[in-house]
Amino acid sequence: MHVEGLLRAKGDAVVVIASRATVGELVDRLAQHRVGALVVSDDGRHVDGIVSERDVVAALAEHGTALLERTVADIMTTEVVTCVPSTTVDQLMSLMTERRMRHVPVVVDGNLTGIVSIGDVVKDRIRDLEVEAQTLHEYIAHGR
Ligand code: AMP
């Protein structure tokens, strides 16, 4: 399976936020969309950064509630690891494990075209294992 297949299953919608938005707005948007990270993009196409709930928690520990008035640009990660539709799920799993991140934006020709999370990867893995188990059951039961 490739990233392309994951996007076909889950859709290509990406919730983005502008770098000048406040952390308070960021928290609202994370809660509203029930996601763990937002891509930071000022024009909606180019990836300027990524910001996850982990960044909010770390910055909250450092700055306290005054953090809510600061901007997304203050806490976002600017060196974003991205993938392409032809990236395999195995490559994605290695990337997420080695870099300790759970979200990877999909970029084609410099444009944001989707995002995949560790949840999408796990879901795909479980589906594969279910198909494999079903095939083995049928083989054992019917010899085919
Ligand atoms: P996450 O596990 O996705 O909640 O993110 C953990 C940390 O990695 C946070 O500091 C994020 O800003 C950062 N991060 C998340 N996704 C990416 C990514 N695709 N590229 C670079 N950093 C990321």
Side-chain angles (χ1 to χ4, degrees), residues 93-112:
M93 277 197 302
S94 305
L95 207 59
M96 287 175 165
T97 308
E98 281 160 21
R99 308 292 286 262
R100 298 175 67 88
M101 65 204 185
R102 297 165 292 181
H103 304 87
V104 180
V106 188
V107 172
V108 175
D109 296 332
N111 292 325
L112 179 63

Side-chain angles (χ1 to χ4, degrees), residues 36-37 50-55 77 79-82 100-105:
I50 190 160
V51 64
S52 91
E53 51 202 0
R54 198 170 289 184
D55 299 313
T77 300
E79 299 232 331
V80 183
V81 176
T82 61
R100 298 175 67 88
M101 65 204 185
R102 297 165 292 181
H103 304 87
V104 180

